[in-house]
Amino acid sequence: MVTAMLKILGEYEKDPNIKLIILKGSGKAFCAGGDVLGTIQTATAGHRSYPTIFYGRQLQLDYLIATYKKPVVSLINGVIMGGGAGLSMHTTFRIVTEKTVFAMPEAAIGLFTDVGASYFLSQLPGCIGEYLDLIGARLTGGEMFACGLATHFVSSKDLPLLENELEQLGSNASSIGEIVKKYSHQPRINEDSPCMR
């Protein structure tokens, strides 16, 4: 997936007919992370080139998205962990729903967060970024919005309508923002949420 996305996004960036990029998952996840199992198995078996190549390409993709010359909208409707955060947290618009679950679980399996997490987690208020990095705690879509990981909160039932309007639009970021704002609302956050401390 990473290699294919690098190639396609590179082509789309040069194509004058493509005005904006929409990233979304298919099914119950936006993106549940990189190929952690494959990299651990190959590294344990002594084949260290696969993890090096895989993570190198993943970080190239994250950099491409972070520096993309066209607006990029992430529709995050489901699980987003690790590598999925690298794909979406660097985009212009990060739209979450009530079905979104975020985590950076690398610490729980003996790894450290990568994919630009040292940047986007450090931008969060208080100590929530450090907490997410060290504990691997999960956040809901509402909590992501409350702490600044997401730019907008939209009901999942409205995503097809939003996506349809975005597809009809050009690359004007302020117009994109106006359309997204039309579907956005304030989520409810539990009092015991780590974002409320």
Side-chain angles (χ1 to χ4, degrees), residues 15 20 25 35 66 75 106 183:
D15 187 336
L20 88 139
D35 186 9
L75 300 178
E106 289 85 348
Y183 291 94

Side-chain angles (χ1 to χ4, degrees), residues 2 29 52 56 72 92 103 106 110 132 156 160 162 177 185 190 196-197:
V2 170
T52 303
V72 182
T92 316
E106 289 85 348
L132 295 171
S156 60
L162 171 60
H185 61 88
N190 291 333
M196 303 304 284
R197 297 187 65 72

Side-chain angles (χ1 to χ4, degrees), residues 20 22 24 162-170:
L20 88 139
I22 298 174
K24 66 178 188 172
L162 171 60
E163 185 176 358
N164 187 49
E165 277 199 57
L166 291 173
E167 288 172 355
Q168 308 305 317
L169 193 65

Side-chain angles (χ1 to χ4, degrees), residues 6 22 84 88 148 153 163:
L6 264 170
I22 298 174
S88 61
F153 184 90
E163 185 176 358

Side-chain angles (χ1 to χ4, degrees), residues 111-141:
L111 300 174
F112 61 89
T113 55
D114 53 0
V115 300
S118 60
Y119 174 74
F120 64 77
L121 291 176
S122 70
Q123 303 302 303
L124 301 180
C127 297
I128 188 72
E130 291 89 339
Y131 173 74
L132 295 171
D133 186 25
L134 295 172
I135 305 299
R138 294 179 178 208
L139 295 181
T140 65

Side-chain angles (χ1 to χ4, degrees), residues 6-186:
L6 264 170
K7 181 178 185 293
I8 292 168
L9 287 175
E11 292 169 2
Y12 287 176
E13 190 172 38
K14 296 173 190 161
D15 187 336
N17 296 314
I18 297 185
K19 304 298 183 193
L20 88 139
I21 302 295
I22 298 174
L23 299 177
K24 66 178 188 172
S26 61
K28 295 181 181 180
F30 173 80
C31 181
D35 186 9
V36 175
L37 182 60
T39 56
I40 289 173
Q41 287 175 336
T42 56
T44 304
H47 306 290
R48 302 201 191 288
S49 62
Y50 174 75
T52 303
I53 293 168
F54 175 79
Y55 284 114
R57 286 188 183 139
Q58 181 175 343
L59 295 175
Q60 287 174 353
L61 177 59
D62 296 339
Y63 178 75
L64 176 64
I65 291 170
T67 60
Y68 214 67
K69 295 179 178 133
K70 297 178 181 181
V72 182
V73 177
S74 292
L75 300 178
I76 308 166
N77 185 34
V79 176
I80 173 174
M81 294 186 178
L87 293 176
S88 61
M89 291 299 111
H90 305 292
T91 63
T92 316
F93 298 94
R94 300 174 306 280
I95 301 164
V96 296
T97 74
E98 74 283 357
K99 295 180 179 180
T100 305
V101 178
F102 170 91
M104 296 301 290
E106 289 85 348
I109 58 174
L111 300 174
F112 61 89
T113 55
D114 53 0
V115 300
S118 60
Y119 174 74
F120 64 77
L121 291 176
S122 70
Q123 303 302 303
L124 301 180
C127 297
I128 188 72
E130 291 89 339
Y131 173 74
L132 295 171
D133 186 25
L134 295 172
I135 305 299
R138 294 179 178 208
L139 295 181
T140 65
E143 290 170 326
M144 286 180 70
F145 177 76
C147 75
L149 283 170
T151 58
H152 298 84
F153 184 90
V154 172
S155 294
S156 60
K157 67 178 178 52
D158 293 332
L159 282 182
L161 297 170
L162 171 60
E163 185 176 358
N164 187 49
E165 277 199 57
L166 291 173
E167 288 172 355
Q168 308 305 317
L169 193 65
S171 62
N172 184 333
S174 63
S175 296
I176 295 168
E178 289 170 19
I179 289 172
V180 173
K181 189 175 182 181
K182 193 166 78 171
Y183 291 94
S184 299
H185 61 88
Q186 197 69 28

